[in-house]
Every structure is written in structure tokens, then in C-alpha cells.
Amino acid sequence: MKLFPKKSDRSPSAVFLCLLVLSGALAEACLAQELRPMQGFRYPLEFYPDNRLKTQIIAEEVIPSTGQEDIHARRVRVESFDTEGVANGLIRADDCRFSREKGMLWSDSNVLLDRDGIRISGKGFAWTLKIQKLILRQDVEVVFSGARQTPSESSPSVPGLSTLFGPGIGTNQTRITAVTLDFDYRKMQGVFEKRVLVKSGETQLSSDKLTASFAGTNELRTVEAEGNVEILYSDGKGLCRRAAYEAETGLLILTGGAVLHRARNTIAAERIAVGVRESAVRTMKAVGKVRCDLDTALAPGAEGNTGKSEVPAEGGIPGKMIRPSGPVSIECDTLIGRMGGSNELQSIEADGRVAIRQGDGMGKGRKVTYDGTTGVVTLTGDAVLRRGDDAVTADRIIFQAMDGELRSMDASGKVRCSFANAANTKGSLIRAGSAEGPTPLRMDSNRLIAAFGGTNGLESVDAIGDVRISQGEAQGTGQRASHDTVSGRVVLSGSAELNRPGESVSAETISFVIRENDVRSIKASGHAQLRYTGTRAPAIRKPDKTGRAG
């Protein structure tokens, strides 16, 4: 085949066509020579204002593209340096492309980034130099070390996720995995999405999305988790729709169906804020439809407790520290709890429509407080304490228990009480009588103090101020009343008066015994007066010379 036609065939169009074919062949040959892979490629990407090198790319092999807009590099290293020229970051990739015009590297291959103590790996990435942004599209794993290290000159203490619930002490690594990652190095903030999992020591957090920000180098500053959040720790877990943690303040906030489980204790609310310090929960505040089920609450006597303290409650009911048995449930609008050094519950404050239950017992009030060092519970604001058929209502009720049983109670302000078994030798606020049992003993007063024995039995009752007492058909009034359930004797004093159908007696002091739903052995002293009507034989004899009636 001839490249050029015969002279007779050399028309202008034919000559032009031949020249075009020849130029195309020459251009293709030159381009093939130009796109030949280059070995040992090094190219500066960024400089500091004083022209010091900031970032450079190194590749074992580079193939330029036809348009010269980007470079195809293999076995790539991107190195970054601080202002002193010390290397502080490294990106490794099997294969990537680089656009000098856009200042961007991207690839579908595996990538590994190590910078400022944070190690990031994944597959399919894009790195934008100008805005210092890294995007990973698959198999993301981030590891940062230094969290929860033992303080020393060479390795200072750095807060990490393990401080959320602990223990995690001694661990120096936190690992985060996800499907995708968008990491902004200027803001030191990473956004992880899809199947996010964080592990630090014995603490684990999972969610649909997680945003983590860092202060300085690899110091964790904040964490925000969204969607199906679950936090697992050594002896429990937390569940919610959103969780936010701030390392500086140690504050963890769970919102949206928040639930915390620890050992056999559970608290649920619309919002739970937990203060965490030194791998231990120090404070907790739950808000909105709070329900708290505590197996170990109202149970002082943890390590360090001697069980010898007395109750400093107003009203002077001394008692030992307590350790009641059986779970306790609390429902309220707001609950604040404080923990001690060994993570034991020190105190509880519940506000707003509070209901507290243990077994068949129930307490209500607008506010309830619990002191873990003394075991004293205080109900205030329309307070109610009820167990079985026994009940006490007042403006304020203070009570204490021991070994799961009520030991003392002090009620004040418009007190009304009903003891179903008070006519028995060992009446009880804890164990109610049957329907066929004795008639309840009722007392109204300004203040009522009760003491209970070791078998749940009501031992004594003291009512003070405008006392009104009733047992069956008998009714008594006075400024003070005391009832000893061992002997069954009731003593009314201070302008005392006792009334029964057909008879009444008034005196400074009146005492009587309750037996079998009836008032017996009545004694009156001090200006005693007896009045009776009807045909019933008097149960009260006329006063003798000493002023006593028996």
C-alpha cells in the first residue's frame, strides 16, 4: 500500500487527507511516549506563608492523564509537616488520582491515615487539601490512643469515652467503626454514619450516626450519637434516641425514651443527664415521666458505713442506718440522684407527683427526698404513707426503716392516720388486718410520732396538738395522745375528753385500754367529770377522793 498517490492522483483534497493521517499518527506516537509511567514521583502540594513545605505527595509510579488535569498515582504517600518541619501526618493509598487544579486526591482503593495520634483506615476516599477534609465511603475504622492513660510526664492523662461509665482505667485506646466518615481536620470533627460502634475499655456505644469532636490533638471533646443509641458498660447499659457527651464537664445527656440500667437498678425518663467523673457516675437528673426501679436504693451500709449514725431528722426520732430489702420504685416528674466515691447512692430528690412503692407499701407527695447516709425518707406536700389498710396523711412525713421494715415515722401538719391493727398487742402500719379484723384506730393531730418494732409491729404512737382519736364507737380529744400497743393503753392529756354512746368523761388526763374493738379500764384524773345517759351500765366509775375514776 502506498502512502502517497501517484502524481496524476494528487488532487488538493487527497494531499490534505494524507497530511491529516500523518499528523494523527505522529501525535499518537508522541502521546504514547508522554503517558509512559514515571517512577519515583514527588510533588509539593502546600506551603506555609514563609514558603516552608506543608504537604507533599510521593508515589512509586505516576501515569499522567491525557488532559493533564489529574495524575494517576500508585502506592501513594501524602506527608504533612508542622511549622518546624516535623512530620505530623501521613496518608497511604494503594491507588489514587490527584487533581492539581482542584487540590484533591481521591480513590476507590484502601487508604490509611495517621495524624496527631489518630489512625483512620477505610476504602474509597476523597481528601481535599484546601479545606482539610477527608471522606471515607466504606469500612471505616478510627483508632485514637491516649484515652484514660495513667498520668505521667511522657503520657499525660487524656479523657476518653471510657469515662462515661467506666471502669476502663488503664486502657489507652478508643476504636470507632462505621460505614462512612466525613472528617474535618480544621474543625477536628468527624461524622460517622451507618452501623457506628465505639469501643473504649469496657465501654461500648452503638448508634446510626455519631459526631465526635477533638480538642488539641487526640483529646476527645464531645460526642453526639443519634438513632438507636445503646451504651454498654461493665454492669449495665443505656438506651435512647440521642446521646450527647462533653468530656470537659463529664456530662452525658440521654434524650428520647432514655433508659439507664445498672446492675438491678433501672431509670427511665424523657431526658436523663448523668455527671461522670473518674470513671464513676457522680450525679444524675431525670426529667419527664420518670420511673426509677431500684434494688439497692434506700440501702446505706455500703463500704465505709458503720451503721451507728443517728437520724438527725426534725422531730427527734433517732435510729440506726438502714439496709431494707426488696426493690423500690419511684415515679415522678423530676428526679436528682447523687452518688458517693464508691458509686453508691447517697441521696435522691424527686419532685412533682411523686409516688414511691416497696412491696405493698406506697408513699406519695409533691416532693420526696432520701438521705443515703441516714436512711431517712421525707415526703412533703400532701404526703401519704400507706401499707395495706394502714395509712397516714400529712403535710410532711419523715420515716426510716431497717432491714426492710419501718422503724420510725414523724408526720406533721394536718395529720390523719388509720391503724388497722392498732387494737392488737402488736399493731402494724405494715401488715393490715383482714376484713373481719378489729376496727381501725384513727388519729387526727398536728403532729404524730410512731415507733415500730423488729417484726414490723407498731410499738408506740404519740400524737401532739388538737388530737382527735376514735376506736369503734369511742371518740376522744385532747392536746396530746400516746398509744402503747404492747399494753394496748391510750393516754389522752390536755383538756382530754372521751365519749361513747350513753357516756362521756372529761379530765386533764384520761387513760384507757383498747381490747376487742372496745374501750376498757378507763381512768381519769385532774378535774375529772363524768356524764352518762341511757340504760347502759356505766363503764366509768365516779372519781374517788384523789380525783381518779377507774
Side-chain angles (χ1 to χ4, degrees), residues 56-128:
Q56 68 176 0
I57 182 171
I58 301 173
E60 292 186 13
E61 185 177 81
V62 171
I63 304 175
S65 66
T66 55
Q68 297 297 310
E69 293 181 357
D70 55 76
I71 296 174
H72 183 192
R74 295 172 181 167
R75 294 175 292 281
V76 178
R77 292 163 52 92
V78 179
E79 299 176 343
S80 60
F81 305 89
D82 61 18
T83 56
E84 301 298 324
V86 178
N88 62 1
L90 175 65
I91 299 177
R92 294 178 182 270
D94 298 333
D95 183 279
C96 78
R97 292 184 177 273
F98 166 60
S99 172
R100 285 172 290 188
E101 180 180 350
K102 298 178 181 179
M104 179 184 290
L105 293 92
W106 68 95
S107 172
D108 292 328
S109 69
N110 295 324
V111 63
L112 176 64
L113 184 149
D114 197 339
R115 180 170 175 176
D116 296 329
I118 302 177
R119 189 178 181 88
I120 303 175
S121 61
K123 187 175 182 181
F125 78 97
W127 169 256
T128 306

Side-chain angles (χ1 to χ4, degrees), residues 1-264:
M1 176 181 177
K2 295 181 179 181
L3 185 60
F4 293 99
K6 295 179 181 180
K7 186 175 183 181
S8 57
D9 297 332
R10 294 176 186 173
S11 63
S13 59
V15 172
F16 177 76
L17 181 60
C18 291
L19 290 174
L20 185 62
V21 172
L22 180 60
S23 62
L26 291 172
E28 185 176 351
C30 293
L31 188 59
Q33 177 69 25
E34 181 181 351
L35 295 181
R36 182 176 299 170
M38 295 184 295
Q39 307 296 322
F41 177 80
R42 185 187 297 264
Y43 185 83
L45 300 176
E46 291 181 292
F47 293 91
Y48 287 104
D50 59 359
N51 293 324
R52 293 187 184 185
L53 180 64
K54 185 176 182 180
T55 312
Q56 68 176 0
I57 182 171
I58 301 173
E60 292 186 13
E61 185 177 81
V62 171
I63 304 175
S65 66
T66 55
Q68 297 297 310
E69 293 181 357
D70 55 76
I71 296 174
H72 183 192
R74 295 172 181 167
R75 294 175 292 281
V76 178
R77 292 163 52 92
V78 179
E79 299 176 343
S80 60
F81 305 89
D82 61 18
T83 56
E84 301 298 324
V86 178
N88 62 1
L90 175 65
I91 299 177
R92 294 178 182 270
D94 298 333
D95 183 279
C96 78
R97 292 184 177 273
F98 166 60
S99 172
R100 285 172 290 188
E101 180 180 350
K102 298 178 181 179
M104 179 184 290
L105 293 92
W106 68 95
S107 172
D108 292 328
S109 69
N110 295 324
V111 63
L112 176 64
L113 184 149
D114 197 339
R115 180 170 175 176
D116 296 329
I118 302 177
R119 189 178 181 88
I120 303 175
S121 61
K123 187 175 182 181
F125 78 97
W127 169 256
T128 306
L129 295 169
K130 186 174 181 180
I131 60 175
Q132 293 285 291
K133 195 171 186 179
L134 173 69
I135 297 176
L136 289 177
R137 297 187 292 270
Q138 188 178 344
D139 301 334
V140 175
E141 182 180 73
V142 177
V143 178
F144 60 95
S145 58
R148 302 300 297 155
Q149 284 182 315
T150 302
S152 66
E153 294 182 1
S154 58
S155 59
S157 177
V158 180
L161 282 176
S162 59
T163 62
L164 288 180
F165 287 98
I169 298 175
T171 190
N172 60 359
Q173 191 176 87
T174 297
R175 185 183 304 270
I176 306 175
T177 58
V179 174
T180 65
L181 168 63
D182 189 329
F183 200 96
D184 189 329
Y185 267 95
R186 284 188 171 182
K187 297 180 179 179
M188 288 300 290
Q189 183 181 81
V191 179
F192 302 81
E193 294 191 79
K194 298 179 182 178
R195 300 195 300 275
V196 182
L197 180 63
V198 184
K199 291 184 177 181
S200 182
E202 296 186 31
T203 304
Q204 178 174 301
L205 183 151
S206 62
S207 62
D208 297 334
K209 180 181 178 181
L210 184 137
T211 302
S213 62
F214 303 86
T217 54
N218 67 340
E219 296 180 13
L220 183 67
R221 187 176 60 172
T222 62
V223 174
E224 293 183 9
E226 302 175 59
N228 299 307
V229 181
E230 182 179 55
I231 303 172
L232 301 178
Y233 42 99
S234 59
D235 58 350
K237 66 179 179 179
L239 302 171
C240 62
R241 288 191 290 273
R242 184 178 182 275
Y245 173 66
E246 187 176 86
E248 183 177 357
T249 61
L251 186 64
L252 170 67
I253 299 177
L254 310 181
T255 55
V259 180
L260 276 180
H261 301 275
R262 186 160 194 145
R264 291 178 291 181

